[in-house]
């Protein structure tokens, strides 16, 4: 019993969208095979663990959200450990390993994990294993897989040391891991040990395959020399494969003969109250020949308790595409059963430890409801899912290719043909037609369908009772791995939903000839957004929002206009807007919107003091050297930008595309600060960091 408890470790996860949880579950599952027992909890369940008295090693998997914040589920925990009165040896007894998840396209990569890691160190806790920082931008698995591989040896050593009562030996392990080159070597070594172990264990059910090329019937003709989703080339096609162990099945689905109602959408959301609100207006902000279609929707929130401030974002609960759901039902052989109620439960006698029904799946609902509202059917299949699909595939060539794609040897094929190609389950089922998964397998492996965030584009003062937002309809063209083009899950659905408002027929005109809609969507607020107007209206501010990034700034300007009307004796600071788009006459959003104030009106009535616009594709214009992008225009206004930020302690807001714009804008600001202060770039970067810290340089960016 005592020995058992010595092999225990505490596993905490802090998740926003479920990835950290899924990885923790993977660790939990693998722990058993290594003779260890993971005591797993969400980090928010603070009544179920106690770090103050924890003696066993602790493993923390934590993601990052927003602008470098820990996930909502970790807020309380972070607040607790950040208590300044805690002594520096508060966690001196604690040994831990931390895996941070993030996306390097965002500023403050993995900051959620880094924050917790830094603070635990400050409080005397010690690493028994090097911190891993996994990057969703290049593929989490590149760090996650080797990190988990190495974890077992490190855990066993930590537990061994603990068992031998060598309290001070933790320092030794920790310091041997803390020098970077050493640590990398150690990790590689551990991976190799793990590999060998896997091969040794082949006879005991671990899946190491030694199939020769001529044993199998490849999907594509042998003359193909280029690999593809369905076709491999040497060395992968000739390798013995290390593939993950088959995850145990744990879900059971039973069809029921009864009738009833599907659960309310609000039951799918744990983040707070949801509101079902009518879409009252839809306006296309771009011309038909624009590269992207931007739509503005107005929602009627008058009869609800929904509250927002300009600059807030909110969440839209969206369904999967109807025809994709139908197609999936067809492939599953369940077309006739879509409206039947199913009862989802945990399979009796499953080998999965602590198995429970995924929280996003109702216990009882129709099959269509699950596929439409609960599962992200467009998710990029994880390797464990591919591994499970192997077992449902009858064609031997298809089977081998699926095995390759989830194997170590096929890791780069997985990245190239699945991850980077954004392949989804339906794409796979088309490419591997003999693969016939069960419904329960889909429920086990497809993640929760996420709600989508949108920035509010209106002010509650200016348009009481309504909420506007703006979005581009996301389009994915057909490609080698995908036979058909697709639209974004949420934006494609919204565009279809409001089509009658955009292209009215007799049915959508009321008696006065006005367009009306009966469509409703479900939304809920997104808490804790710092992206708000300065509390003091006399403080100047600069807004940088190319494309749909202009959206929250329309709310800011509406709000400011109303405040100016209501408080003629107040002092108002300067307002600057930097906007950019491709073509002046195709996608200049809010230049003229017939029923709303356009930015030109804001400029005319003095709400907006300075408007700077640029057009990146209007090359025919006379001035060839005209600035193309917002960062170019910012540089042209360097003196004023520096004055607002440094002398007048103004605010700087950036909104829109994180991939191509936000970093270029912050680079421009560093240049401007360094030029205007006659300081070197390092000094300018420190000033920018200080502005961010003081929440005077604020970003609301998305991909
Ligand atoms: P999805 O189906 O989710 O696809 C979107 C992304 O998935 C693509 O960009 C791509 O990276 C990937 N992807 C999926 N499938 C494929 C494929 N087959 N091929 C290639 N890539 C693929 N958006 C706005 O337009 N306006 C806003 O005001 C706004 N505000 C936001 C505020 C916040 C705080 C955040 C986090 C995001 C915001 N967004 C905004 C982004 C928005 O939440 C959605 O991500 C966006 O609208 C796309 O959603 P979708 O479901 O239509 O696309």
């Amino acid at each position: 019993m005592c020995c058992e408890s010595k092999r225990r470790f505490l596993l905490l996860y802090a998740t926003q969208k479920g990835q950290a949880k899924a990885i923790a579950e993977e660790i939990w599952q693998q722990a058993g095979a290594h003779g260890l027992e993971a005591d797993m909890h969400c980090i928010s369940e603070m009544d179920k663990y106690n770090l103050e008295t924890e003696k066993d090693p602790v493993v923390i998997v934590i993601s990052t959200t927003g602008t470098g914040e820990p996930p909502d589920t970790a807020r309380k925990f972070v607040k607790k450990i950040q208590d300044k009165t805690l002594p520096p040896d508060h966690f001196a007894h604690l040994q831990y390993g931390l895996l941070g998840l993030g996306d390097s396209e965002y500023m403050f990569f993995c900051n959620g994990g880094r924050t917790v890691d830094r603070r635990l160190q400050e409080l005397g806790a010690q690493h028994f294993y090097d911190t891993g920082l996994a990057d969703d931008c290049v593929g989490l698995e590149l760090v996650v897989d080797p990190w988990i591989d190495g974890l077992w040896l490190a855990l066993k050593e930590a537990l061994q040391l603990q068992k031998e009562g060598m309290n001070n030996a933790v320092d030794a392990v920790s310091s041997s891991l803390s020098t970077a080159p050493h640590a990398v070597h150690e990790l590689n070594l551990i991976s190799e040990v793990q590999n060998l172990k896997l091969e040794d264990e082949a006879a005991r059910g671990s899946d190491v395959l030694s199939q020769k090329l001529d044993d199998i019937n490849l999907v594509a003709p042998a003359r193909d020399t280029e690999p593809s989703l369905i076709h491999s080339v040497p060395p992968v096609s000739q390798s013995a494969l290390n593939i993950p162990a088959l995850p145990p099945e744990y879900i059971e689905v039973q069809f029921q003969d009864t009738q009833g109602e599907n659960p309310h959408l609000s039951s799918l959301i744990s983040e707070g109250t949801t509101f079902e609100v009518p879409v009252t207006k839809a306006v296309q902000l771009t011309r038909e020949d624009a590269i992207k279609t931007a739509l503005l929707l107005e929602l009627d929130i008058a009869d609800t308790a929904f509250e927002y401030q300009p600059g807030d974002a909110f969440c839209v609960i969206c369904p999967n595409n109807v025809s994709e759901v139908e197609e999936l039902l067809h492939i599953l052989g369940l077309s006739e059963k879509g409206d039947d109620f199913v009862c989802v439960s945990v399979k009796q006698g499953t080998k999965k430890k602590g198995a429970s029904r995924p929280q996003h799946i109702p216990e009882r609902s129709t099959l269509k409801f699950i596929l439409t509202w609960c599962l992200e059917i467009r998710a990029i299949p994880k390797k464990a899912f591919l591994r499970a699909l192997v077992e449902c595939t009858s064609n031997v060539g298809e089977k081998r290719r699926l095995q390759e794609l989830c194997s170590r040897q096929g890791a780069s094929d997985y990245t190239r043909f699945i991850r980077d190609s954004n392949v989804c389950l339906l794409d796979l089922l088309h490419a591997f037609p003999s693969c016939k998964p069960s419904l329960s397998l889909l429920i086990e492996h497809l993640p929760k369908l996420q709600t989508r965030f949108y920035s509010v584009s209106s002010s509650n003062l200016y348009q009481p009772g309504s909420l506007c937002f703006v979005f581009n309809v996301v389009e994915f063209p057909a490609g080698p791995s995908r036979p058909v083009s697709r639209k974004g899950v949420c934006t494609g659905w919204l565009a279809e939903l409001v089509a009658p408002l955009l292209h009215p027929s007799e049915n959508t005109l009321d008696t006065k000839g006005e367009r009306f809609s009966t469509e409703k969507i479900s939304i809920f607020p997104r808490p804790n957004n710092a992206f708000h107007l300065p509390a003091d209206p006399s403080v100047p501010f600069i807004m940088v929002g190319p494309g749909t990034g202009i959206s929250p700034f329309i709310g800011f300007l509406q709000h400011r206009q109303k405040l100016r009307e209501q408080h003629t004796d107040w002092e108002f600071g300067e307002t600057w807007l930097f906007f950019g788009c491709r073509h002046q006459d195709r996608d200049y959003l809010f230049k003229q919107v017939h029923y709303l104030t356009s930015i030109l009106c804001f400029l005319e009535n003095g709400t907006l003091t300075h408007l700077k616009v640029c057009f990146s594709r209007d090359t025919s214009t006379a001035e060839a050297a005209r600035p193309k992008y917002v960062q170019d225009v910012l540089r042209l206004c360097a003196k004023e930008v520096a004055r607002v930020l440094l002398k007048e302690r103004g605010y700087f807001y950036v909104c829109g595309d994180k991939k191509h714009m936000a970093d270029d804008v912050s680079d421009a600001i560093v240049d401007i600060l360094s030029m205007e202060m006659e300081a070197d770039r390092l000094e300018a970067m420190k000033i920018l960091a200080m502005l961010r810290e003081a929440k005077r340089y604020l970003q609301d960016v998305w991909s």
Side-chain angles (χ1 to χ4, degrees):
M1 206 50 206
C2 157
C3 198
E4 279 295 310
S5 73
K6 280 294 169 204
R7 303 195 71 77
R8 165 194 176 271
F9 67 98
L10 177 65
L11 174 57
L12 300 178
Y13 63 85
T15 202
Q16 189 72 22
K17 294 191 165 180
Q19 267 171 327
K21 183 175 181 219
I23 291 168
E25 283 174 349
E26 171 79 29
I27 294 174
W28 183 44
Q29 201 164 314
Q30 286 192 26
H34 292 271
L36 300 170
E37 194 183 320
D39 180 12
M40 183 171 75
H41 303 284
C42 171
I43 208 160
S44 63
E45 297 172 322
M46 288 161 75
D47 54 328
K48 301 210 174 125
Y49 64 92
N50 185 355
L51 291 191
E52 269 79 16
T53 55
E54 184 60 58
K55 294 278 185 304
D56 292 332
V58 180
V59 173
I60 303 174
V61 185
I62 172 167
S63 61
T64 298
T65 188
T67 37
E69 288 122 39
D72 295 345
T73 49
R75 287 237 164 90
K76 258 198 204 148
F77 174 85
V78 171
K79 197 168 168 214
K80 190 170 170 200
I81 62 169
Q82 275 174 343
D83 178 352
K84 294 225 163 66
T85 63
L86 295 177
D89 62 348
H90 185 72
F91 284 137
H93 60 284
L94 208 65
Q95 9 167 7
Y96 74 102
L98 184 142
L99 176 62
L101 313 181
D103 187 330
S104 60
E105 277 177 10
Y106 282 97
M107 187 70 59
F108 307 124
F109 169 61
C110 274
N111 203 45
R114 286 182 204 267
T115 305
V116 170
D117 201 12
R118 204 168 33 237
R119 188 60 186 147
L120 289 178
Q121 294 281 301
E122 282 168 9
L123 294 172
Q126 298 173 51
H127 288 133
F128 71 85
Y129 184 41
D130 243 13
T131 294
L133 299 177
D135 185 357
D136 206 13
C137 176
V138 292
L140 289 174
E141 67 278 2
L142 295 183
V143 167
V144 171
D145 291 354
W147 194 89
I148 298 179
D149 286 346
L151 176 66
W152 308 116
L153 198 59
L155 263 173
K156 282 175 188 170
E157 283 188 7
L159 284 161
Q160 185 62 27
L161 295 179
Q162 181 200 46
K163 193 172 162 191
E164 290 167 11
M166 295 168 65
N167 292 335
N168 56 354
V170 172
D171 294 337
V173 174
S174 175
S175 65
S176 79
L177 284 170
S178 63
T179 45
H182 205 113
V184 169
H185 171 72
E186 184 117 353
L187 205 61
N188 288 342
L189 205 67
I190 292 168
S191 296
E192 278 162 29
V193 169
Q194 203 61 31
N195 248 332
L196 289 173
K197 192 161 176 283
L198 259 179
E199 293 191 30
D200 283 349
E201 282 175 358
R204 280 187 281 132
S206 178
D207 296 280
V208 178
L209 303 177
S210 287
Q211 286 173 307
K212 294 261 159 51
L213 179 64
D214 48 6
D215 288 345
I216 57 164
N217 168 21
L218 280 178
V219 181
R223 67 175 179 278
D224 282 1
T225 52
E226 278 299 305
S228 68
L229 176 63
I230 55 169
H231 175 63
S232 61
V233 296
V236 175
S237 58
Q238 291 175 331
S239 296
L241 303 174
N242 293 89
I243 66 171
L246 182 65
E249 291 175 8
Y250 71 101
I251 286 293
E252 193 160 65
V253 181
Q254 281 173 330
F255 281 87
Q256 296 187 322
D257 237 357
T258 55
Q259 300 290 312
E261 290 216 351
N262 273 316
H264 198 268
L265 291 184
S266 58
S267 67
L268 302 175
I269 305 300
S270 55
E271 292 93 332
T273 319
T274 59
F275 300 90
E276 201 186 344
V277 293
V279 183
T280 41
K281 275 201 175 74
V283 181
Q284 182 165 328
L285 301 177
T286 43
R287 234 172 54 174
E288 288 305 326
D289 54 355
I291 293 173
K292 290 182 182 172
T293 304
L295 301 180
L296 174 142
L297 302 196
E298 184 194 79
L299 308 177
D300 178 0
I301 56 166
D303 296 333
T304 71
F306 189 103
E307 285 180 357
Y308 72 89
Q309 290 184 53
D312 276 349
F314 68 102
C315 299
V316 173
I317 305 177
C318 58
N320 284 312
N321 178 279
V322 178
S323 46
E324 286 175 37
V325 170
E326 297 289 348
E327 210 180 333
L328 212 44
L329 282 171
H330 177 72
I331 294 175
L332 293 171
L334 296 169
S335 293
E336 306 301 312
K337 295 196 162 239
D339 294 319
D340 287 7
F341 273 79
V342 290
C343 180
V344 177
S345 56
V346 173
K347 207 178 186 125
Q348 287 230 324
T350 174
K351 293 213 175 76
K352 186 177 160 90
K353 277 198 200 159
S356 63
R357 181 171 46 82
Q359 278 173 10
H360 53 279
I361 305 292
E363 201 175 336
R364 193 177 165 281
S365 65
T366 62
L367 177 49
K368 258 192 200 158
F369 183 86
I370 294 177
L371 294 179
T372 307
W373 294 101
C374 306
L375 297 174
E376 186 95 48
I377 61 173
R378 290 269 191 94
I380 297 170
K382 297 231 158 63
K383 288 184 185 167
F385 194 9
L386 294 182
R387 175 64 190 88
L389 289 176
V390 169
E391 304 306 303
C392 328
T393 306
S394 53
N395 177 291
V396 67
E398 293 178 16
K399 222 176 166 78
R400 162 75 192 193
R401 185 58 179 145
L402 285 170
Q403 282 163 338
E404 287 168 357
L405 288 166
C406 65
S407 71
R408 255 163 229 269
Q409 292 72 7
S412 66
D413 278 7
Y414 174 85
T415 306
R416 185 168 162 203
F417 301 115
I418 300 220
R419 202 195 134 75
D420 292 352
S421 311
N422 273 290
V423 156
C424 65
L425 175 66
L426 268 177
D427 297 330
L428 276 186
L429 297 178
H430 285 140
F432 299 91
S434 78
C435 178
K436 302 283 176 208
S438 64
L439 174 60
S440 52
L441 198 72
L442 267 48
I443 295 176
E444 282 166 10
H445 288 276
L446 287 172
K448 175 181 193 276
L449 177 57
Q450 294 295 332
T451 56
R452 280 16 182 204
F453 293 101
Y454 292 95
S455 307
V456 171
S457 185
S458 51
S459 153
N460 42 354
L461 269 189
Y462 186 94
Q463 293 181 265
S466 64
L467 177 158
C468 294
F469 67 107
V470 175
F471 60 90
N472 277 328
V473 181
V474 175
E475 312 221 12
F476 307 117
S481 306
R482 190 181 321 115
V484 289
S485 66
R486 295 207 178 100
K487 291 201 162 69
V489 173
C490 187
T491 56
W493 166 65
L494 287 171
E496 213 170 285
L497 193 79
V498 303
L501 288 174
L502 292 168
H503 314 287
S505 65
E506 276 191 6
N507 296 340
T508 53
L509 293 178
D510 65 14
T511 44
K512 290 188 218 141
E514 296 259 312
R515 297 167 198 192
F516 74 94
S517 151
T518 49
E519 298 298 351
K520 289 185 170 182
I521 66 172
S522 291
I523 61 169
F524 61 95
R526 180 193 190 223
N528 294 320
N529 189 346
F531 202 82
H532 291 142
L533 279 164
D536 176 356
S538 69
V539 171
F541 61 90
I542 295 171
M543 301 168 279
V544 180
T548 47
I550 194 175
S551 174
F553 303 135
I554 296 299
F556 279 13
L557 291 169
Q558 290 184 346
H559 205 77
R560 174 53 71 92
Q561 179 167 319
K562 269 287 157 200
L563 288 180
R564 278 161 51 94
E565 285 166 21
Q566 290 171 353
H567 305 279
T568 46
D569 54 333
W570 283 10
E571 190 193 329
F572 290 95
E574 273 176 30
T575 53
W576 290 72
L577 175 62
F578 291 82
F579 174 74
C581 61
R582 290 188 174 83
H583 299 284
Q584 163 144 229
D585 52 0
R586 293 189 214 173
D587 53 356
Y588 188 164
L589 311 184
F590 291 99
K591 187 178 175 193
Q592 271 153 353
V593 184
H594 58 273
Y595 88 105
L596 285 174
T597 315
S598 78
I599 43 179
L600 300 183
C601 292
F602 288 129
L603 189 64
E604 221 166 84
N605 68 28
T607 303
L608 180 60
T609 348
H610 304 275
L611 173 64
K612 302 285 172 190
V613 284
C614 54
F615 309 102
S616 60
R617 305 275 174 92
D618 279 342
T619 43
S620 59
T621 41
E623 306 109 287
R626 219 176 146 133
K628 270 187 167 181
Y629 302 108
V630 282
Q631 58 270 26
D632 305 332
V633 196
L634 279 165
R635 285 196 169 90
L636 292 180
C637 302
K639 283 213 169 335
E640 290 87 343
V641 170
R643 168 178 59 80
V644 168
L645 281 181
L646 301 175
K647 290 214 181 91
E648 296 167 13
R649 301 187 53 76
Y651 282 55
F652 193 95
Y653 299 89
V654 189
C655 181
D657 179 27
K658 78 174 154 81
K659 235 183 233 165
H660 305 112
M661 185 267 305
D663 287 351
D664 291 342
V665 167
S666 70
D667 279 353
I669 293 302
V670 169
D671 288 347
I672 289 171
L673 294 175
S674 123
M675 202 167 65
E676 294 303 314
M677 292 166 56
E678 295 178 5
D680 60 21
R681 272 187 70 83
L682 191 64
E683 196 55 32
M685 283 162 88
K686 282 190 195 157
I687 304 279
L688 180 59
M690 194 201 73
L691 290 171
R692 288 184 199 274
E693 188 72 24
K695 304 230 182 292
R696 287 207 286 123
Y697 187 100
L698 291 153
Q699 289 195 144
D700 188 12
V701 290
W702 62 79
S703 56

Coordinates of all heavy atoms in Angstrom, one line a residue, residues 106 313 378 421-422 452-455 470-472 474 476 482 486-492 526 548 551 700-703, ligand 1:
Y106 N 1.4 34.5 -31.3 CA 0.9 35.5 -30.4 C 2.1 36.0 -29.6 O 3.1 35.3 -29.3 CB 0.0 34.8 -29.3 CG -1.4 34.6 -29.9 CD1 -1.8 33.4 -30.4 CD2 -2.3 35.6 -29.9 CE1 -3.1 33.2 -30.9 CE2 -3.6 35.4 -30.3 CZ -4.0 34.2 -30.8 OH -5.2 34.0 -31.3
A313 N -15.2 41.5 -26.3 CA -15.6 40.5 -27.3 C -16.7 39.6 -26.7 O -17.0 39.7 -25.5 CB -14.4 39.6 -27.6
R378 N -14.5 19.4 -37.9 CA -13.4 19.9 -38.7 C -12.0 19.8 -38.1 O -11.0 20.3 -38.6 CB -13.7 21.3 -39.1 CG -14.8 21.6 -40.0 CD -14.4 21.6 -41.4 NE -15.4 22.2 -42.2 CZ -15.6 23.4 -42.6 NH1 -14.7 24.3 -42.1 NH2 -16.6 23.8 -43.4
S421 N -2.0 20.8 -43.7 CA -3.0 20.9 -44.8 C -4.4 21.0 -44.2 O -5.4 20.9 -44.9 CB -3.0 19.6 -45.6 OG -1.7 19.3 -46.0
N422 N -4.5 21.1 -42.9 CA -5.7 21.3 -42.2 C -6.7 20.2 -42.6 O -7.9 20.5 -42.9 CB -6.3 22.6 -42.5 CG -5.8 23.7 -41.5 OD1 -6.2 23.7 -40.3 ND2 -5.0 24.6 -42.0
R452 N -17.0 30.6 -31.1 CA -16.1 31.6 -31.8 C -16.2 33.0 -31.2 O -17.4 33.4 -30.9 CB -16.4 31.7 -33.3 CG -15.9 30.6 -34.3 CD -15.5 29.3 -33.8 NE -15.0 28.5 -34.9 CZ -15.0 27.1 -34.8 NH1 -15.4 26.5 -33.7 NH2 -14.5 26.4 -35.9
F453 N -15.1 33.6 -31.0 CA -15.1 35.0 -30.4 C -15.3 36.1 -31.5 O -14.8 35.9 -32.6 CB -13.8 35.3 -29.8 CG -13.4 34.5 -28.6 CD1 -12.6 33.4 -28.7 CD2 -13.9 34.8 -27.4 CE1 -12.2 32.7 -27.5 CE2 -13.6 34.1 -26.2 CZ -12.8 33.0 -26.3
Y454 N -16.0 37.1 -31.2 CA -16.1 38.3 -32.1 C -16.0 39.5 -31.2 O -16.5 39.6 -30.1 CB -17.4 38.2 -32.9 CG -17.3 37.1 -33.9 CD1 -17.8 35.9 -33.6 CD2 -16.5 37.2 -35.0 CE1 -17.6 34.8 -34.4 CE2 -16.3 36.1 -35.9 CZ -16.9 34.9 -35.6 OH -16.7 33.9 -36.4
S455 N -15.4 40.6 -31.8 CA -15.2 41.8 -31.1 C -16.5 42.6 -31.4 O -17.0 42.7 -32.5 CB -14.0 42.6 -31.6 OG -12.9 41.8 -31.6
V470 N -18.5 42.5 -36.8 CA -18.1 42.4 -38.2 C -17.2 41.2 -38.3 O -16.3 41.0 -37.5 CB -17.3 43.7 -38.5 CG1 -16.7 43.6 -39.9 CG2 -18.1 44.9 -38.4
F471 N -17.3 40.5 -39.4 CA -16.4 39.4 -39.7 C -16.2 39.2 -41.2 O -17.0 39.6 -42.0 CB -17.0 38.1 -39.0 CG -18.3 37.7 -39.6 CD1 -18.4 36.9 -40.7 CD2 -19.5 38.2 -39.0 CE1 -19.6 36.5 -41.2 CE2 -20.7 37.8 -39.5 CZ -20.8 37.0 -40.6
N472 N -15.1 38.6 -41.5 CA -14.8 38.1 -42.8 C -15.3 36.7 -43.0 O -15.1 35.9 -42.1 CB -13.3 38.1 -43.1 CG -12.7 39.5 -43.5 OD1 -13.4 40.3 -44.1 ND2 -11.5 39.7 -43.1
V474 N -14.7 33.3 -43.8 CA -13.4 32.6 -44.1 C -13.6 31.5 -45.2 O -14.7 30.8 -45.2 CB -13.0 31.9 -42.8 CG1 -11.8 31.0 -43.0 CG2 -12.7 32.9 -41.7
F476 N -11.8 28.4 -47.5 CA -10.7 27.5 -47.7 C -10.8 26.8 -49.1 O -11.7 26.1 -49.3 CB -10.6 26.4 -46.7 CG -10.7 26.8 -45.2 CD1 -11.8 26.5 -44.4 CD2 -9.7 27.6 -44.7 CE1 -11.9 27.0 -43.1 CE2 -9.8 28.1 -43.4 CZ -10.9 27.8 -42.6
R482 N -8.0 17.9 -50.1 CA -9.4 18.2 -49.9 C -10.1 18.5 -51.2 O -9.8 19.4 -51.9 CB -9.4 19.5 -49.1 CG -10.8 19.9 -48.5 CD -10.8 21.1 -47.7 NE -9.6 21.3 -46.9 CZ -8.7 22.2 -47.1 NH1 -8.8 23.1 -48.1 NH2 -7.6 22.3 -46.4
R486 N -14.2 24.9 -48.8 CA -15.1 25.0 -47.6 C -15.1 26.4 -47.1 O -14.2 27.2 -47.4 CB -14.6 24.1 -46.5 CG -14.7 22.6 -46.8 CD -14.9 21.8 -45.6 NE -15.0 20.4 -46.0 CZ -14.0 19.5 -45.9 NH1 -12.9 19.9 -45.4 NH2 -14.2 18.3 -46.3
K487 N -16.1 26.8 -46.3 CA -16.1 28.0 -45.6 C -15.9 27.8 -44.1 O -16.1 26.7 -43.7 CB -17.5 28.7 -45.8 CG -17.7 29.2 -47.2 CD -18.8 30.3 -47.2 CE -18.8 31.1 -48.5 NZ -19.2 30.4 -49.7
G488 N -15.4 28.8 -43.4 CA -15.2 28.7 -42.0 C -16.5 28.2 -41.3 O -17.6 28.5 -41.8
V489 N -16.3 27.4 -40.2 CA -17.5 26.8 -39.6 C -18.5 27.9 -39.2 O -19.7 27.8 -39.6 CB -17.1 26.0 -38.3 CG1 -18.3 25.5 -37.5 CG2 -16.2 24.8 -38.7
C490 N -18.0 28.9 -38.4 CA -19.0 29.9 -37.9 C -19.3 30.9 -39.0 O -20.5 31.2 -39.2 CB -18.3 30.5 -36.7 SG -19.5 31.6 -35.8
T491 N -18.3 31.4 -39.6 CA -18.6 32.5 -40.6 C -19.4 32.0 -41.8 O -20.2 32.7 -42.3 CB -17.3 33.2 -41.0 OG1 -16.4 32.2 -41.6 CG2 -16.6 33.9 -39.9
G492 N -19.1 30.7 -42.2 CA -19.9 30.2 -43.3 C -21.3 30.0 -42.9 O -22.3 30.3 -43.7
R526 N -17.8 37.5 -23.1 CA -16.4 37.0 -22.8 C -15.8 37.9 -21.7 O -15.6 39.1 -21.9 CB -15.5 37.1 -24.1 CG -14.1 36.7 -23.8 CD -13.3 37.1 -25.0 NE -12.0 36.5 -24.9 CZ -10.8 37.1 -25.1 NH1 -10.8 38.4 -25.4 NH2 -9.7 36.4 -25.0
T548 N -10.9 44.0 -40.8 CA -11.9 43.8 -39.8 C -11.4 44.3 -38.4 O -12.2 44.3 -37.5 CB -12.5 42.4 -39.7 OG1 -11.4 41.5 -39.7 CG2 -13.4 42.1 -40.9
S551 N -13.2 46.9 -36.3 CA -14.5 46.7 -35.7 C -14.6 47.3 -34.3 O -15.5 48.1 -34.1 CB -14.7 45.2 -35.7 OG -15.8 44.8 -35.0
D700 N -5.8 43.3 -29.5 CA -6.9 42.3 -29.6 C -6.7 41.7 -30.9 O -7.2 42.3 -31.9 CB -8.2 43.1 -29.5 CG -9.4 42.1 -29.4 OD1 -9.2 40.9 -29.2 OD2 -10.5 42.6 -29.5
V701 N -6.0 40.6 -31.0 CA -5.6 40.1 -32.3 C -6.0 38.7 -32.5 O -6.1 37.9 -31.5 CB -4.1 40.2 -32.6 CG1 -3.7 41.7 -32.8 CG2 -3.3 39.6 -31.5
W702 N -6.3 38.3 -33.7 CA -6.7 36.9 -34.0 C -6.2 36.5 -35.4 O -5.8 37.4 -36.2 CB -8.3 36.8 -33.9 CG -9.0 37.7 -34.9 CD1 -9.2 37.4 -36.2 CD2 -9.5 39.0 -34.7 NE1 -9.8 38.4 -36.8 CE2 -10.1 39.4 -35.9 CE3 -9.7 39.8 -33.6 CZ2 -10.8 40.6 -36.1 CZ3 -10.3 41.0 -33.7 CH2 -10.9 41.4 -35.0
S703 N -6.3 35.2 -35.7 CA -5.8 34.7 -37.0 C -7.0 34.5 -37.9 O -8.1 34.4 -37.5 CB -5.1 33.4 -36.8 OG -5.9 32.5 -36.2
Ligands
LIG1 P1 -12.8 28.0 -38.7 O1 -13.6 27.0 -39.4 O2 -12.7 28.0 -37.3 O3 -11.4 28.2 -39.4 C1 -10.6 29.2 -39.0 C2 -9.1 28.8 -39.0 O4 -8.9 27.4 -38.9 C3 -8.4 29.2 -40.2 O5 -7.9 30.6 -40.1 C4 -7.3 28.2 -40.3 O6 -6.2 28.6 -39.5 C5 -7.9 27.0 -39.8 N1 -8.5 26.1 -40.8 C6 -9.6 25.3 -40.5 N2 -9.9 24.6 -41.6 C7 -9.0 24.9 -42.6 C8 -8.8 24.5 -43.9 N3 -9.6 23.5 -44.4 N4 -7.8 25.0 -44.6 C9 -7.1 26.0 -44.1 N5 -7.2 26.4 -42.8 C10 -8.2 25.9 -42.1 N6 -12.9 37.4 -36.4 C11 -13.6 38.3 -37.1 O7 -13.8 38.2 -38.3 N7 -14.0 39.5 -36.5 C12 -13.8 39.8 -35.2 O8 -14.2 40.8 -34.7 C13 -13.1 38.8 -34.4 N8 -12.8 39.0 -33.1 C14 -12.1 38.1 -32.4 C15 -11.8 38.3 -31.1 C16 -11.1 37.4 -30.4 C17 -10.7 37.7 -29.0 C18 -10.6 36.2 -31.0 C19 -9.8 35.2 -30.3 C20 -11.0 35.9 -32.3 C21 -11.7 36.9 -33.0 N9 -12.0 36.6 -34.4 C22 -12.7 37.6 -35.1 C23 -11.8 35.3 -35.0 C24 -13.0 34.4 -34.9 O9 -13.2 34.0 -33.6 C25 -13.0 33.2 -35.8 O10 -11.8 32.5 -35.6 C26 -13.1 33.4 -37.3 O11 -14.3 34.1 -37.6 C27 -13.1 32.1 -38.1 O12 -14.1 31.3 -37.6 P2 -14.7 30.2 -38.5 O13 -15.4 29.2 -37.6 O14 -15.5 30.8 -39.6 O15 -13.5 29.5 -39.1

